[in-house]
């Protein structure tokens, strides 16, 4: 394209449009005001959502990115505006979420002078970004924004931050834009080694008890169809990390459940009985492995991964297959023998029966007078039929949602995994619904996490985005309380919550609301919520001291998983 002479602020908007951005989340302020002035002029092409706190902007951008697969965009001013983005940026970094954050900064001549609302956001954000850069001249803007989007979405995705000084926003230059297609010394996708694929296939074909564990890499790599084909040909049981949930339909016969601290009994126990462990797009997080020195020591480990830094970082591999998982799976499929592994599957089924009788039956059909979190999730399943996007916050309710929610399609489970950010779900649900307006989006939140970003009810009211919000209220910081009960002799230190009238608060934002305290009212309330064309707030009072099981205690082996 030719050049036009424009300001740096206008260039920012034109760059975003060139990258296909049509929705951004943010909060204005002095140092970013020139960009907001241009946003006003381009509002017919680029929709800006005014959040109520900058952290909400990053979580909304994350929800949008996770639901759509596109790059989420957040924008804020300098100083506290920029620092308020950091939690969401750190969350996006550890969960590999593509996001570009743009912050305003004081003028170049004021840098380092402790000017009003100046912070070194580049220094602060360096540990939690995939890349960051401070723009001090208007002419740098096109190249840096092009690089930012390329880096954010390529290879293993992640967040990028661009800090733009105020002079660079005001100054004019001759603008042209060229998308970035590569950066010297940055190789986001390793070249696939077909010999390694063949080695992996040979190990898999010779295995008597092969076991697949998969993570969000399947979703990020858009490899769901290839993964399903490999599963169905090989007949291997497969278990997921919480970020891998929904890559494979919940009711698929080869889906044996959830790995990790509060995962299912069979996949955790049998991790230490398989002879070949095949990992796809997961990083062997400590919540999955438990005590590393005892994790799958009997197994030969095959790791399919895009990020070389993850290979042998936690678990020693027999064969590492680096590359794009979609390409790797396509190369693996024709080399696999068709098998069923019926006897091996029966071991999973027998252990699943034990878990059902010991844990699941009473959780979904409790004998107590009070409602359980599990039965609430099951009621949502009944009315959503597994077609909703579930956005969960962090805590007991998150584990119950991941354990019991049903999913028919990919990109349907959105939660904060690696960072475990309370307050994530409400703004993330806004982003998910805006990204996928044709899908039902239900936020599952605890009474503690809800109050960390409760102000985003204002964003819902102003935008009229029809998000459904379910608060599972046990009047405790439930997960911390569970640990205090099990490991600290019932000393409930600072975990009891004295909560406000949540329904009144939601109604103050003109959101239709209901509170359920009795089991006989739950079915109708959930049905009414999901039938609503508008946003809806449902508070469900649940048992105060119900625990989520199974559980692998911190530092314990996966084989030491507890059912009670």
């Amino acid at each position: 394209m030719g050049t036009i002479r424009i300001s740096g602020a206008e260039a920012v908007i034109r760059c975003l449009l060139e990258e296909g951005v049509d929705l951004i989340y943010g909060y204005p302020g002095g140092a970013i005001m020139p960009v907001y002035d241009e946003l006003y002029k381009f509002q017919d092409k680029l929709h800006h959502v005014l959040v109520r706190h900058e952290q909400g902007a990053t979580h909304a951008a994350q929800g949008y990115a996770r639901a759509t697969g596109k790059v989420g965009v957040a924008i804020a001013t300098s100083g506290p505006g920029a620092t308020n983005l950091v939690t969401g940026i750190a969350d996006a970094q550890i969960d590999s979420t593509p996001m570009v954050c743009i912050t305003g900064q004081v003028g170049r001549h004021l840098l380092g002078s402790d000017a009003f609302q100046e912070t070194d956001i580049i220094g602060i954000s360096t540990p939690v970004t995939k890349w960051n850069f401070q723009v001090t001249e208007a002419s740098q803007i096109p190249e840096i924004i092009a690089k930012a989007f390329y880096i954010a979405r390529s290879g293993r995705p992640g967040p990028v931050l661009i800090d733009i000084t105020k002079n660079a926003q005001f100054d004019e230059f001759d603008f042209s834009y060229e998308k970035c297609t590569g950066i010297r010394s940055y190789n986001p996708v390793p070249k696939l080694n077909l010999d390694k694929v063949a080695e992996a296939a040979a190990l898999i074909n010779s295995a008597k008890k092969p076991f697949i564990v998969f993570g969000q890499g399947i979703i990020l790599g858009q490899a769901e169809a290839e993964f399903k084909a490999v599963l169905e040909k090989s007949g291997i049981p497969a278990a997921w990390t919480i970020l891998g949930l929904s890559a494979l339909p919940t009711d698929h016969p080869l889906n044996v459940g959830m790995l990790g601290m509060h995962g299912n009994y069979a996949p955790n126990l049998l991790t230490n009985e398989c002879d070949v462990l095949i990992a796809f797009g997961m990083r062997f997080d400590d919540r999955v492995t438990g005590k590393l020195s005892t994790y799958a020591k009997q197994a030969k480990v095959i790791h399919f991964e895009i990020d070389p830094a993850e290979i042998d970082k936690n678990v020693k591999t027999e064969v590492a297959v680096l590359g794009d998982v979609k390409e790797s799976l396509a190369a693996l499929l024709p080399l696999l023998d068709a098998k069923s592994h019926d006897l091996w599957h029966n071991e999973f089924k027998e252990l699943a029966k034990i878990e059902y009788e010991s844990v699941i039956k009473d959780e979904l059909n409790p004998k107590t007078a009070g409602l359980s979190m599990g039965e609430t999730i099951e009621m949502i399943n009944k009315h959503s039929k597994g077609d909703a996007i579930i956005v969960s916050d962090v805590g007991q309710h998150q584990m119950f949602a991941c354990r019991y929610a049903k999913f028919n399609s990919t990109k349907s489970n959105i939660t904060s995994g690696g960072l475990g950010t309370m307050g994530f779900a409400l703004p993330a649900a806004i982003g998910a619904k805006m990204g996928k307006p044709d899908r039902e989006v239900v936020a599952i939140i605890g009474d503690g996490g809800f109050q960390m970003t409760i102000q985003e009810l204002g964003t819902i009211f102003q935008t009229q985005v029809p998000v459904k919000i379910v608060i599972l209220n046990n009047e405790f910081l439930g997960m911390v309380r569970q640990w205090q009960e099990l490991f600290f002799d019932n000393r409930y230190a600072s975990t009891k919550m004295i909560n406000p009238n949540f329904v009144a608060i939601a109604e103050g934002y003109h959101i239709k609301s209901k509170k359920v305290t009795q089991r006989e009212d739950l079915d109708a309330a959930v049905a009414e919520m999901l039938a609503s064309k508008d946003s809806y707030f449902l508070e469900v009072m649940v048992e105060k001291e119900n625990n989520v099981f199974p559980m692998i205690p911190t530092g314990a082996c996966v084989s030491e998983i507890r059912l009670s």
Side-chain angles (χ1 to χ4, degrees), residues 111 165 193 220 252 264 299 422-423 498 501 537:
L111 289 173
T165 58
N193 184 332
L220 295 173
H252 193 283
N264 293 108
M422 291 176 67
I498 306 300
N501 185 334
F537 179 90

Side-chain angles (χ1 to χ4, degrees), residues 375-444:
E375 70 178 310
T376 306
I377 303 299
E378 186 75 346
M379 191 62 73
I380 292 169
N381 290 334
K382 173 185 172 182
H383 292 283
S384 72
K385 297 180 169 50
D387 292 330
I389 293 174
I390 303 293
V391 185
S392 56
D393 211 77
V394 171
Q396 283 184 319
H397 62 279
Q398 176 190 34
M399 294 298 100
F400 280 113
C402 289
R403 282 178 54 79
Y404 296 113
K406 305 295 185 188
F407 299 105
N408 298 325
S409 56
T410 190
K411 296 187 181 72
S412 296
N413 173 60
I414 298 174
T415 194
S416 172
L419 198 64
T421 305
M422 291 176 67
F424 170 88
L426 186 61
I430 294 170
K433 182 63 178 177
M434 288 182 166
K436 288 290 183 180
D438 56 328
R439 295 195 64 188
E440 195 70 77
V441 175
V442 182
I444 309 291

Side-chain angles (χ1 to χ4, degrees), residues 84-143:
N84 282 344
L85 298 176
V86 171
T87 296
I89 293 171
D91 195 289
Q93 173 77 341
I94 200 164
D95 282 354
S96 304
T97 303
M99 180 167 69
V100 169
C101 294
I102 297 172
T103 54
Q105 184 55 276
V106 300
R108 179 174 55 188
H109 68 292
L110 292 172
L111 289 173
S113 70
D114 294 330
F116 177 66
Q117 289 193 334
E118 181 195 2
T119 57
D120 178 13
I121 193 61
I122 295 297
I124 290 168
S125 66
T126 293
V128 293
T129 49
K130 191 175 177 185
W131 183 63
N132 64 14
F133 191 91
Q134 185 172 72
V135 171
T136 58
E137 296 179 15
S139 60
Q140 297 173 306
I141 288 171
E143 179 188 0

Side-chain angles (χ1 to χ4, degrees), residues 280-292:
F280 290 97
M282 55 86 74
R283 57 189 180 86
F284 291 110
D285 177 73
D286 64 292
R287 282 297 191 265
V288 166
T289 64
K291 187 177 180 180
L292 269 174

Side-chain angles (χ1 to χ4, degrees), residues 28 39 71-72 106-107 109 116 124-125 138 195 224 227 230 249 268 421 429 442 450 471 510 513 534 564:
L39 259 175
V71 178
V106 300
H109 68 292
F116 177 66
I124 290 168
S125 66
D195 290 339
E224 294 90 345
F227 179 64
V230 162
N268 276 304
T421 305
V442 182
F450 178 53
I471 304 301
H510 303 280
S513 307
D534 303 313
S564 62

Side-chain angles (χ1 to χ4, degrees), residues 198-359:
E199 278 184 54
L203 263 183
I204 294 168
N205 288 336
S206 64
K208 299 290 185 265
K209 292 185 173 184
F211 183 32
I212 285 174
V213 293
F214 65 95
Q216 190 188 198
I218 299 295
I219 297 170
L220 295 173
Q222 301 178 45
E224 294 90 345
E226 290 81 1
F227 179 64
K228 187 165 172 278
V230 162
L231 275 189
E232 291 175 350
K233 184 176 182 182
S234 67
I236 300 173
W240 37 268
T241 68
I242 64 169
L243 293 186
L245 175 55
S246 85
L248 184 70
T250 311
D251 62 358
H252 193 283
L254 294 172
N255 188 337
V256 295
M258 174 176 162
L259 297 160
M261 180 172 280
H262 292 289
N264 293 108
Y265 192 52
N268 276 304
L269 211 57
L270 295 179
T271 293
N272 279 5
E273 293 190 25
C274 66
D275 57 357
V276 175
L277 182 69
I278 312 112
F280 290 97
M282 55 86 74
R283 57 189 180 86
F284 291 110
D285 177 73
D286 64 292
R287 282 297 191 265
V288 166
T289 64
K291 187 177 180 180
L292 269 174
S293 62
T294 61
Y295 180 80
K297 290 301 175 184
Q298 80 297 334
K300 292 179 178 177
V301 177
I302 303 168
H303 196 175
F304 286 79
E305 175 60 46
I306 198 168
D307 185 355
E310 296 297 344
I311 300 298
D312 295 333
K313 185 176 84 174
N314 295 325
V315 173
K316 180 69 178 172
T317 57
E318 185 81 13
V319 179
V321 182
L322 280 167
D324 176 82
V325 71
K326 190 180 184 77
E327 184 186 358
S328 301
L329 284 162
L332 178 67
L333 181 63
L335 304 180
L336 293 177
D337 296 338
K339 294 188 177 183
S340 60
H341 297 290
D342 293 335
L343 293 176
W344 178 224
H345 277 286
N346 285 338
E347 293 190 42
F348 284 87
K349 290 173 184 175
E350 290 304 312
L351 291 172
K353 288 177 188 175
I354 293 171
E355 181 181 352
Y356 180 82
E357 291 298 324
S358 301
V359 176

